[in-house]
Structures are given as C-alpha cells and as structure tokens.
C-alpha cells in the first residue's frame, strides 16, 4: 500500500477555508478539520501548537484569498477604478458571506476612535493614495473621501451579509456613483465621472 499523504499546513488552511465558506468559521475545530481531511486530529497539532495559532495564520490566508478575489474582479469587471474596491467589496459580501463576516465584521482589527485610525492599516493607506491620484485629488482630501466611501460601502455590505438588503450590481453601482459624486463635487464642482478606462 502507498503511504498516506502527509498533512501539510497548506492542506489544513485550504480545508479551513472550505469549511468557513460552507458553514462559517464558528464551525471550524480540530474535529471538523480532521473529518474533512479524513485523518485524526494529531497531524493538525503537529503543524500548529493550538487552534489559536491556526486561526491567526488562517486570517492572513483568508485575507490573501480576498485580495485575489479583488484582482480577479478587476480583470473581469468593466468599472471605473474609483469604484473597483467598493463594488468588489459588495460582491464579496454577497458571494462569500461567511468569509466576509470573519474578515470584516467578527475579526476586523480596525478600531476607529479617530478617522486617522483607518489608515493604520497599510492597505488602506496605499489604496487611498491610488484613489486620490486617479481622482486628481490632493492626498488629504482624497483620504477623507476614500474613508467616507468605505464607511458607506461597509454599511451596505453588512446589511447584505445579514440578509437585510439584496442590491443587484446595477443598483449598488448607481448608489455608489451618486454618493461619490456628491463627495468629490464638494472639492471639485466641475468633476465628471470617469468611464471604465479612467477617462472622462
């Protein structure tokens, strides 16, 4: 008989991803992982000291999955750059509700007692800089608008994963266009919405 395949960290992380996508991270434990992998719980605790260590590594793994989702969305959707992150965020909430809850509701590290706290996360800072440049906004003004847009989008996303709303793509995009136009025209009254290639 051929030897059994060795259980690796990658196998465990992918299994946790599958379980989370199917039924939520709260159903992840050593037994559910072992059942999915058809092994005992021993290999799990050979790779990880405890479930807390596994969870910490999985959060990073799951966030990378989200970032790849955004990249795929960018290549497949025809949308202005300024709406890329909000629209992909809303679609992720709709299609991956359990992962969204884990990453952006239950285990979200963001603690905002001040607007600047939002930019303690490097991805937010980097995305705001790109957003500001694409809109032709001064960095500080762009960061303020980017944060407002995130808060608006996050509210819709949370309503989506809790089944309080179910907006289709067209309606969500129209709402985001309207609110973003209102934000930017306070700074640039003559601003016009760019098309999906970034031109006006």
């Amino acid at each position: 008989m051929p030897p059994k395949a060795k259980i690796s960290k990658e196998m465990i992380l992918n299994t946790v991803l599958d379980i989370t996508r199917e039924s939520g991270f709260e159903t992840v434990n050593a037994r559910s992982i072992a059942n999915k992998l058809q092994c005992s719980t021993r290999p799990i605790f050979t790779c990880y000291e405890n479930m807390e260590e596994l969870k910490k590594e999985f959060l990073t793994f799951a966030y990378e999955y989200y970032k790849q989702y955004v990249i795929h969305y960018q290549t497949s959707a025809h949308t202005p750059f300024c709406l890329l992150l909000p629209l992909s965020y809303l679609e992720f909430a709709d299609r991956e509700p359990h992962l969204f809850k884990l990453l952006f509701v239950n285990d979200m590290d963001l603690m905002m007692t001040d607007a600047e706290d939002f930019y303690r996360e490097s991805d937010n800072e980097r995305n705001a800089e790109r957003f500001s440049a694409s809109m032709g906004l001064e960095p500080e003004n762009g960061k303020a608008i980017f944060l407002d847009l995130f808060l608006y989008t996050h509210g819709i996303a949370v309503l989506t994963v809790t089944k309080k709303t179910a907006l289709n793509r067209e309606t969500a995009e129209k709402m985001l266009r309207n609110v973003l136009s209102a934000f930017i025209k306070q700074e640039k009254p003559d601003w016009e919405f760019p098309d999906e290639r970034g031109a006006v």
Side-chain angles (χ1 to χ4, degrees):
M1 289 179 64
K4 283 189 174 182
K6 183 179 178 182
I7 302 297
S8 66
K9 280 191 172 185
E10 184 178 5
M11 292 168 67
I12 293 169
L13 292 171
N14 277 307
T15 299
V16 175
L17 180 67
D18 289 343
I19 296 170
T20 302
R21 292 179 70 197
E22 289 167 11
S23 54
F25 189 75
E26 59 274 13
T27 65
V28 172
N29 54 52
R31 187 176 297 280
S32 64
I33 298 168
N35 286 344
K36 196 89 167 172
L37 286 170
Q38 297 184 321
C39 67
S40 70
T41 59
R42 185 173 180 180
I44 299 164
F45 295 111
T46 299
C47 293
Y48 294 98
E49 186 174 334
N50 52 47
M51 290 300 292
E52 194 57 38
E53 182 186 8
L54 170 54
K55 179 179 180 179
K56 184 177 179 181
E57 192 163 321
F58 176 68
L59 286 172
T60 301
F61 184 81
Y63 188 66
E64 284 302 315
Y65 178 89
Y66 164 70
K67 291 205 292 189
Q68 289 303 311
Y69 188 97
V70 174
I71 290 169
H72 180 264
Y73 185 94
Q74 184 175 12
T75 60
S76 60
H78 300 289
T79 189
F81 174 77
C82 58
L83 292 182
L84 169 64
L85 289 175
L87 285 172
S88 59
Y89 193 75
L90 292 178
E91 185 179 280
F92 189 76
D94 181 53
R95 298 192 179 181
E96 298 285 357
H98 293 302
L99 275 177
F100 184 91
K101 285 180 186 177
L102 174 67
L103 291 171
F104 302 117
V105 180
N106 299 340
D107 279 86
M108 194 175 196
D109 289 333
L110 186 62
M111 295 294 291
M112 284 181 56
T113 55
D114 187 275
E116 282 304 306
D117 292 339
F118 180 71
Y119 291 109
R120 294 187 190 280
E121 294 187 8
S122 59
D123 277 357
N124 293 342
E125 182 83 30
R126 188 164 47 250
N127 288 331
E129 288 171 357
R130 293 179 65 200
F131 171 83
S132 300
S134 73
M135 295 289 95
L137 295 166
E138 292 296 322
E140 286 308 306
N141 293 338
K143 285 173 69 174
I145 291 171
F146 185 79
L147 173 55
D148 286 342
L149 184 61
F150 164 76
L151 294 173
Y152 182 80
T153 305
H154 184 67
I156 298 172
V158 171
L159 289 171
T160 299
V161 297
T162 54
K163 307 297 183 187
K164 303 298 183 183
T165 190
L167 302 178
N168 59 37
R169 158 68 189 266
E170 183 180 347
T171 301
E173 181 168 350
K174 184 177 180 180
M175 291 170 65
L176 289 169
R177 282 175 174 267
N178 288 343
V179 75
L180 184 55
S181 292
F183 290 153
I184 293 180
K185 285 187 176 184
Q186 293 180 50
E187 303 294 333
K188 300 174 69 174
D190 297 330
W191 183 80
E192 296 293 335
F193 222 99
D195 65 20
E196 51 268 14
R197 293 172 297 282
V200 173

